[in-house]
Amino acid sequence: MNEQNNDLFKKLGVDIGDGKINIDFKNPRDYTTDKHNRVDAAMIGGGAGMLMSPQPLMDTLKDIKSKSPNAHIVFMTPVAKRFTQNDAKRLANKEYIVLISGRYEGIDERVIELEVDEVFSIGDFILTGGELASMVVCDAISRNVSGVLGNNASLEVESFEDSLLEAPSFTKPNIYENKAIISEYLKGNHSKITDLKRGLALCKTKFFRPDLYKKV
Ligand code: SAM
C-alpha cells in the first residue's frame, strides 16, 4: 500500500474509495539497462518520432509479475476498441491490474504480443501520453468496486445500463430561474415516474447515441 500515491490520486479526483483500492506507480526508467538511462529508441522501418523500447517495459512487467503472478496487464492505446462501462464492471473484479501508459509514439509491438492481456482506447483522438487514459480507466473501474461509492444503488441507474443514457435529473429548488422541475417527478407516483424516466432516457439516447439506441 502506498499512502502517498493514494493521496495524489485523491487530489486528482480519482475515486479510490478510502483505501478500498491501492495504486502504485512504476517507472520503466528505473529498469533500463541503457547506460544513458534511455527508455526510447528510433522506430525501425521509418516513421517520425521515438518508441518505448521493449527491455525497460518488459523488465518492469516481469518484476510486477514476480510478486503478483495474476496481474492483468492492460495497455492504453488508440489502436484498440473503445473502453466501455461493461469493461469497467468486468475489470472491477480483478485483484491486480497494470495499466501501461505509452509515451512518444507508443510501445514496441512485441511487448503487446508477449505480455499484454487487453488493449483499450478511450476515444478517437490522440493524447500525448497514456497517463490520462489510464487515470480515466482507473476511476471508471474503481467506482465499480464494492464499497467505493457511498451508495451502491447509484451504479444501477446510471447511463449505459441497458444501453440507455440517463433521464434528466433534478434537485431543489422546484423552480429555478423560472424553470420548473418536470411536474410528474413531484407527484410521488413511483411507477409513473419510472415509466416517464424510461421514455425520457429513450429520447436522450436516440438523440445523442443512435448507435446505443439501436441496441435497446
Ligand atoms: N502513434 C500512436 C498512434 O498513432 O496510434 C499514438 C501515440 S500517443 C502520442 C502516445 C501514447 O498515448 C500512446 O502510446 C497511448 O498510451 C496514449 N494514448 C494516446 N491516445 C490515446 C487514446 N485515445 N486512448 C488510449 N491511450 C491513448
Side-chain angles (χ1 to χ4, degrees):
M1 168 142 143
N2 188 327
E3 293 290 341
Q4 241 180 342
N5 290 338
N6 285 359
D7 280 352
L8 174 67
F9 262 66
K10 267 192 201 167
K11 278 183 198 148
L12 291 168
V14 176
D15 196 338
I16 55 163
D18 283 335
K20 298 218 164 41
I21 289 150
N22 293 309
I23 293 166
D24 203 356
F25 300 96
K26 295 275 181 201
N27 186 349
R29 207 176 288 283
D30 297 335
Y31 292 81
T32 182
T33 52
D34 181 82
K35 63 178 181 211
H36 302 296
N37 235 18
R38 294 192 72 126
V39 292
D40 62 323
M43 285 201 262
I44 295 176
M50 308 296 278
L51 210 58
M52 289 180 77
S53 318
Q55 177 274 316
L57 258 181
M58 286 296 285
D59 284 358
T60 310
L61 294 172
K62 278 179 192 153
D63 182 26
I64 293 170
K65 281 207 146 171
S66 70
K67 291 159 199 152
S68 309
N70 294 329
H72 187 70
I73 314 287
V74 174
F75 174 48
M76 301 309 303
T77 168
V79 189
K81 81 171 183 75
R82 205 92 57 84
F83 181 76
T84 67
Q85 181 70 359
N86 281 343
D87 295 314
K89 285 184 177 175
R90 179 172 51 84
L91 292 177
N93 294 315
K94 300 266 180 210
E95 190 191 346
Y96 199 131
I97 300 172
V98 177
L99 297 167
I100 305 176
S101 309
R103 272 273 153 183
Y104 315 108
E105 287 310 319
I107 70 177
D108 187 300
E109 189 74 16
R110 290 165 293 183
V111 177
I112 303 174
E113 283 170 19
L114 290 167
E115 283 294 350
V116 170
D117 297 309
E118 257 184 300
V119 288
F120 286 119
S121 165
I122 61 160
D124 294 350
F125 44 81
I126 305 292
L127 299 164
T128 310
E131 296 84 353
L132 289 172
S134 293
M135 284 180 61
V136 164
V137 163
C138 180
D139 184 77
I141 295 171
S142 302
R143 64 199 302 286
N144 283 285
V145 171
S146 174
V148 166
L149 291 189
N151 181 359
N152 269 350
S154 320
L155 294 169
E156 288 159 23
V157 288
E158 282 186 317
S159 293
F160 307 116
E161 288 304 314
D162 300 328
S163 301
L164 281 176
L165 299 183
E166 197 177 55
S169 308
F170 301 92
T171 181
K172 288 185 220 169
N174 292 358
I175 298 179
Y176 181 72
E177 299 218 349
N178 269 337
K179 287 205 166 283
I181 289 175
I182 296 171
S183 59
E184 202 63 50
Y185 280 29
L186 296 165
K187 291 184 189 160
N189 183 335
H190 291 294
S191 78
K192 259 194 169 176
I193 294 172
T194 305
D195 287 350
L196 176 62
K197 281 194 170 178
R198 182 165 170 86
L200 293 169
L202 281 164
C203 288
K204 287 235 177 197
T205 311
K206 190 174 182 185
F207 185 78
F208 288 113
R209 292 292 302 275
D211 57 318
L212 287 181
Y213 185 74
K214 275 189 207 151
K215 294 185 193 166
V216 180

